[in-house]
Short mmCIF file of all heavy atoms in Angstrom, two decimals:
data_model
loop_
_atom_site.label_atom_id
_atom_site.label_comp_id
_atom_site.label_asym_id
_atom_site.label_seq_id
_atom_site.Cartn_x
_atom_site.Cartn_y
_atom_site.Cartn_z
N THR A 18 38.27 62.94 0.38
CA THR A 18 37.48 62.92 1.61
C THR A 18 37.69 64.19 2.41
O THR A 18 36.75 64.81 2.93
CB THR A 18 37.84 61.71 2.48
OG1 THR A 18 37.60 60.52 1.73
CG2 THR A 18 37.03 61.68 3.78
N LEU A 19 38.96 64.62 2.51
CA LEU A 19 39.26 65.86 3.24
C LEU A 19 38.61 67.07 2.58
O LEU A 19 38.09 67.96 3.25
CB LEU A 19 40.79 66.05 3.33
CG LEU A 19 41.53 65.08 4.24
CD1 LEU A 19 43.03 65.27 4.09
CD2 LEU A 19 41.10 65.27 5.69
N ARG A 20 38.64 67.07 1.23
CA ARG A 20 38.04 68.19 0.50
C ARG A 20 36.54 68.24 0.74
O ARG A 20 35.95 69.29 0.94
CB ARG A 20 38.36 68.07 -0.99
CG ARG A 20 37.93 69.28 -1.79
CD ARG A 20 38.31 69.14 -3.26
NE ARG A 20 39.76 69.09 -3.43
CZ ARG A 20 40.43 68.02 -3.80
NH1 ARG A 20 39.78 66.89 -4.04
NH2 ARG A 20 41.75 68.06 -3.93
N ALA A 21 35.90 67.06 0.70
CA ALA A 21 34.45 66.99 0.93
C ALA A 21 34.10 67.45 2.34
O ALA A 21 33.16 68.21 2.56
CB ALA A 21 33.94 65.57 0.71
N ASN A 22 34.90 66.99 3.32
CA ASN A 22 34.67 67.42 4.70
C ASN A 22 34.87 68.92 4.84
O ASN A 22 34.16 69.61 5.57
CB ASN A 22 35.59 66.65 5.66
CG ASN A 22 35.19 65.20 5.79
OD1 ASN A 22 34.06 64.85 5.53
ND2 ASN A 22 36.15 64.36 6.20
N GLY A 23 35.86 69.45 4.14
CA GLY A 23 36.12 70.88 4.19
C GLY A 23 34.97 71.68 3.64
O GLY A 23 34.64 72.76 4.11
N GLN A 24 34.33 71.14 2.57
CA GLN A 24 33.19 71.84 1.98
C GLN A 24 31.99 71.81 2.92
O GLN A 24 31.19 72.73 2.93
CB GLN A 24 32.83 71.19 0.64
CG GLN A 24 33.89 71.41 -0.45
CD GLN A 24 33.58 70.61 -1.71
OE1 GLN A 24 32.74 69.72 -1.70
NE2 GLN A 24 34.27 70.94 -2.78
N GLN A 25 31.83 70.73 3.70
CA GLN A 25 30.68 70.61 4.58
C GLN A 25 30.87 71.36 5.90
O GLN A 25 29.92 71.78 6.51
CB GLN A 25 30.42 69.13 4.90
CG GLN A 25 29.88 68.33 3.73
CD GLN A 25 28.53 68.82 3.27
OE1 GLN A 25 27.67 69.13 4.08
NE2 GLN A 25 28.35 68.93 1.96
N GLN A 26 32.12 71.55 6.29
CA GLN A 26 32.39 72.12 7.59
C GLN A 26 31.78 73.51 7.81
O GLN A 26 31.21 73.78 8.87
CB GLN A 26 33.89 72.18 7.85
CG GLN A 26 34.25 72.41 9.32
CD GLN A 26 33.70 71.31 10.21
OE1 GLN A 26 33.65 70.14 9.84
NE2 GLN A 26 33.26 71.69 11.40
N PRO A 27 31.83 74.44 6.83
CA PRO A 27 31.25 75.77 7.06
C PRO A 27 29.77 75.72 7.43
O PRO A 27 29.34 76.41 8.35
CB PRO A 27 31.48 76.49 5.73
CG PRO A 27 32.70 75.82 5.16
CD PRO A 27 32.55 74.38 5.56
N ILE A 28 28.96 74.92 6.73
CA ILE A 28 27.54 74.84 7.04
C ILE A 28 27.32 74.20 8.41
O ILE A 28 26.41 74.58 9.15
CB ILE A 28 26.75 74.08 5.94
CG1 ILE A 28 25.24 74.16 6.19
CG2 ILE A 28 27.19 72.63 5.85
CD1 ILE A 28 24.64 75.52 6.05
N VAL A 29 28.18 73.26 8.77
CA VAL A 29 28.07 72.63 10.09
C VAL A 29 28.35 73.67 11.18
O VAL A 29 27.61 73.75 12.17
CB VAL A 29 29.03 71.44 10.21
CG1 VAL A 29 29.09 70.95 11.65
CG2 VAL A 29 28.60 70.31 9.29
N ASP A 30 29.39 74.43 11.01
CA ASP A 30 29.72 75.47 12.00
C ASP A 30 28.60 76.50 12.11
O ASP A 30 28.22 76.90 13.22
CB ASP A 30 31.04 76.16 11.61
CG ASP A 30 32.24 75.24 11.75
OD1 ASP A 30 32.12 74.21 12.43
OD2 ASP A 30 33.31 75.56 11.16
N THR A 31 28.07 76.94 10.97
CA THR A 31 26.99 77.93 10.98
C THR A 31 25.74 77.35 11.63
O THR A 31 25.03 78.03 12.38
CB THR A 31 26.66 78.41 9.57
OG1 THR A 31 27.83 78.93 8.96
CG2 THR A 31 25.58 79.48 9.58
N ALA A 32 25.46 76.08 11.34
CA ALA A 32 24.28 75.44 11.91
C ALA A 32 24.39 75.38 13.44
O ALA A 32 23.42 75.68 14.16
CB ALA A 32 24.12 74.03 11.33
N ARG A 33 25.55 75.01 13.92
CA ARG A 33 25.74 74.95 15.37
C ARG A 33 25.62 76.33 16.01
O ARG A 33 25.03 76.48 17.10
CB ARG A 33 27.09 74.33 15.69
CG ARG A 33 27.16 72.83 15.37
CD ARG A 33 28.57 72.30 15.47
NE ARG A 33 28.63 70.86 15.22
CZ ARG A 33 29.75 70.19 14.98
NH1 ARG A 33 30.92 70.84 14.97
NH2 ARG A 33 29.71 68.89 14.76
N LYS A 34 26.14 77.34 15.35
CA LYS A 34 26.02 78.70 15.86
C LYS A 34 24.58 79.18 15.85
O LYS A 34 24.13 79.85 16.76
CB LYS A 34 26.90 79.64 15.03
CG LYS A 34 26.92 81.07 15.57
CD LYS A 34 27.87 81.95 14.76
CE LYS A 34 27.89 83.37 15.33
NZ LYS A 34 28.79 84.25 14.54
N THR A 35 23.85 78.79 14.80
CA THR A 35 22.42 79.17 14.70
C THR A 35 21.64 78.53 15.84
O THR A 35 20.77 79.19 16.44
CB THR A 35 21.85 78.70 13.34
OG1 THR A 35 22.59 79.32 12.28
CG2 THR A 35 20.38 79.08 13.21
N LEU A 36 21.96 77.30 16.15
CA LEU A 36 21.30 76.64 17.28
C LEU A 36 21.60 77.38 18.58
O LEU A 36 20.70 77.59 19.41
CB LEU A 36 21.76 75.20 17.38
CG LEU A 36 21.21 74.38 18.56
CD1 LEU A 36 19.69 74.29 18.48
CD2 LEU A 36 21.83 73.00 18.61
N GLN A 37 22.86 77.77 18.78
CA GLN A 37 23.22 78.51 19.99
C GLN A 37 22.45 79.83 20.08
O GLN A 37 22.00 80.23 21.15
CB GLN A 37 24.72 78.78 20.00
CG GLN A 37 25.58 77.53 20.19
CD GLN A 37 27.06 77.84 20.10
OE1 GLN A 37 27.47 78.94 19.79
NE2 GLN A 37 27.89 76.83 20.36
N ASN A 38 22.31 80.49 18.94
CA ASN A 38 21.66 81.81 18.93
C ASN A 38 20.15 81.71 19.19
O ASN A 38 19.59 82.58 19.86
CB ASN A 38 21.89 82.51 17.58
CG ASN A 38 23.32 82.95 17.39
OD1 ASN A 38 24.06 83.11 18.36
ND2 ASN A 38 23.73 83.15 16.15
N TYR A 39 19.51 80.66 18.64
CA TYR A 39 18.05 80.65 18.61
C TYR A 39 17.42 79.45 19.28
O TYR A 39 16.22 79.23 19.14
CB TYR A 39 17.56 80.74 17.17
CG TYR A 39 18.07 81.97 16.45
CD1 TYR A 39 18.79 81.87 15.27
CD2 TYR A 39 17.84 83.24 16.99
CE1 TYR A 39 19.26 83.01 14.64
CE2 TYR A 39 18.32 84.39 16.34
CZ TYR A 39 19.03 84.25 15.17
OH TYR A 39 19.50 85.38 14.53
N GLU A 40 18.20 78.69 20.03
CA GLU A 40 17.62 77.53 20.74
C GLU A 40 16.46 77.95 21.62
O GLU A 40 15.41 77.30 21.67
CB GLU A 40 18.70 76.84 21.57
CG GLU A 40 18.14 75.69 22.42
CD GLU A 40 19.17 75.14 23.38
OE1 GLU A 40 20.38 75.43 23.23
OE2 GLU A 40 18.75 74.42 24.31
N LYS A 41 16.60 79.09 22.32
CA LYS A 41 15.55 79.54 23.23
C LYS A 41 14.37 80.21 22.50
O LYS A 41 13.36 80.52 23.12
CB LYS A 41 16.13 80.52 24.25
CG LYS A 41 17.11 79.87 25.23
CD LYS A 41 17.61 80.88 26.25
CE LYS A 41 18.57 80.23 27.25
NZ LYS A 41 19.06 81.20 28.25
N ALA A 42 14.54 80.39 21.19
CA ALA A 42 13.44 80.99 20.41
C ALA A 42 12.55 79.90 19.82
O ALA A 42 11.41 80.18 19.41
CB ALA A 42 13.99 81.87 19.31
N VAL A 43 13.07 78.68 19.74
CA VAL A 43 12.29 77.57 19.18
C VAL A 43 11.66 76.82 20.34
O VAL A 43 12.34 76.23 21.17
CB VAL A 43 13.18 76.63 18.35
CG1 VAL A 43 12.37 75.48 17.77
CG2 VAL A 43 13.85 77.42 17.22
N ILE A 44 10.32 76.85 20.38
CA ILE A 44 9.59 76.29 21.52
C ILE A 44 8.59 75.25 21.05
O ILE A 44 8.36 75.06 19.86
CB ILE A 44 8.84 77.41 22.27
CG1 ILE A 44 7.83 78.10 21.34
CG2 ILE A 44 9.83 78.42 22.85
CD1 ILE A 44 6.95 79.12 22.03
N SER A 45 8.02 74.56 22.02
CA SER A 45 6.92 73.62 21.73
C SER A 45 5.61 74.25 22.21
O SER A 45 5.59 74.95 23.24
CB SER A 45 7.15 72.29 22.47
OG SER A 45 8.30 71.64 21.98
N LEU A 46 4.57 74.01 21.46
CA LEU A 46 3.23 74.42 21.87
C LEU A 46 2.45 73.19 22.30
O LEU A 46 2.48 72.16 21.64
CB LEU A 46 2.47 75.09 20.72
CG LEU A 46 3.00 76.43 20.18
CD1 LEU A 46 2.09 76.91 19.06
CD2 LEU A 46 3.09 77.47 21.28
#
Side-chain angles (χ1 to χ4, degrees):
T18 301
L19 290 173
R20 187 178 296 111
N22 289 338
Q24 291 172 347
Q25 290 297 318
Q26 196 59 36
I28 187 67
V29 170
D30 291 343
T31 303
R33 289 171 177 166
K34 184 176 181 181
T35 301
L36 177 62
Q37 291 176 354
N38 290 339
Y39 302 123
E40 176 188 345
K41 293 182 179 180
V43 180
I44 60 174
S45 295
L46 294 181

